[in-house]
Amino acid sequence: MYFIVGLGNPGRKYEMTRHNVGFRVVGRLSEEYRIPIHSKNKLYEAGSGALCNFNVLLVKPLTFMNRSGLVVRQLIDYFHEDASQLIVIHDDLDIPFGQIRIKLNGGAGGHNGLASIMDSLQTDQFLRIRVGIGRPQDKEDAANYVLEPFSNEEEKILGEVISNSTKAVQEILSFGPVQAMNLFNQRKSQSS
């Protein structure tokens, strides 16, 4: 079974913020593949089903971002799986808005959700789909920036970004992470 975990914060206050783009991608996967997401307990919402001929569990942790690892550890232990079956979808300040990158391992890059997962699993050996949100234009604090909603202009583009993120999941499952990285990690030129 693959665990596809979208990172975010629970509650209406955070629903449309940049930090919750992982939740939105998992929500789109739920719609496209008709995998209903329902509450399992107070720690997460999840739904299981088939995606690209694999059994998957779509997960939205409800523990707030900096405690996401508690949920991931619990699920991996319960299903007797390991981190190699984990795909984490999260926002990334270091990638320009509108672009995504796939990464096999590495550090948390200052992302508290990833840091929590790495700490709970005691490994960095899991896949990430990094959804670019860019950095604030002015000297705004990054912690405040990620908790703000996308601008109206960004929202117009976000549907395509979320769609590309769901395609990245499909590519990973169908053809493996290396081919998915070759397809999605191409940097766009400044002119495009």
Side-chain angles (χ1 to χ4, degrees):
M1 173 179 284
Y2 278 92
F3 304 94
I4 302 173
V5 180
L7 298 187
N9 287 313
R12 294 187 73 79
K13 175 180 176 183
Y14 300 104
E15 189 174 359
M16 304 304 281
T17 64
R18 293 181 178 93
H19 226 16
N20 274 37
V21 73
F23 274 16
R24 291 175 76 173
V25 174
V26 165
R28 178 74 63 87
L29 286 165
S30 169
E31 292 168 13
E32 285 184 16
Y33 285 89
R34 294 182 176 88
I35 301 172
I37 294 177
H38 51 275
S39 285
K40 289 277 191 185
N41 60 38
K42 292 180 180 179
L43 292 180
Y44 59 87
E45 293 179 347
S48 61
L51 200 161
C52 300
N53 298 317
F54 288 94
N55 290 326
V56 300
L57 188 69
L58 302 178
V59 183
K60 295 180 182 180
L62 300 178
T63 53
F64 287 93
M65 187 68 78
N66 60 1
R67 298 181 70 222
S68 301
L70 295 174
V71 171
V72 173
R73 172 90 264 167
Q74 182 184 89
L75 290 169
I76 281 181
D77 287 349
Y78 179 81
F79 287 99
H80 305 289
E81 295 285 1
D82 60 48
S84 67
Q85 300 301 109
L86 175 63
I87 301 171
V88 176
I89 305 166
H90 65 90
D91 60 296
D92 197 306
L93 286 161
D94 294 324
I95 297 172
F97 175 74
Q99 297 182 28
I100 65 170
R101 301 277 186 278
I102 299 167
K103 189 174 180 181
L104 280 168
N105 52 39
H111 196 287
N112 291 337
L114 285 179
S116 174
I117 292 170
M118 285 187 268
D119 185 53
S120 292
L121 298 181
Q122 291 296 294
T123 186
D124 67 351
Q125 300 296 305
F126 57 88
L127 275 167
R128 307 102 191 267
I129 297 176
R130 304 161 63 205
V131 183
I133 60 169
R135 288 205 172 265
Q137 298 293 325
D138 51 24
K139 295 184 181 188
E140 180 182 5
D141 180 56
N144 292 332
Y145 176 75
V146 299
L147 295 177
E148 291 174 353
F150 288 98
S151 70
N152 291 336
E153 289 302 310
E154 288 171 330
E155 278 290 344
K156 291 176 185 174
I157 300 166
L158 194 59
E160 183 180 351
V161 175
I162 291 171
S163 179
N164 285 338
S165 300
T166 65
K167 289 174 186 169
V169 172
Q170 296 162 12
E171 192 75 16
I172 288 166
L173 295 178
S174 298
F175 302 106
V178 173
Q179 183 162 324
M181 285 189 286
N182 288 337
L183 186 61
F184 287 95
N185 290 8
Q186 304 298 319
R187 293 199 181 270
K188 293 187 177 181
S189 68
Q190 298 290 51
S191 59
S192 60

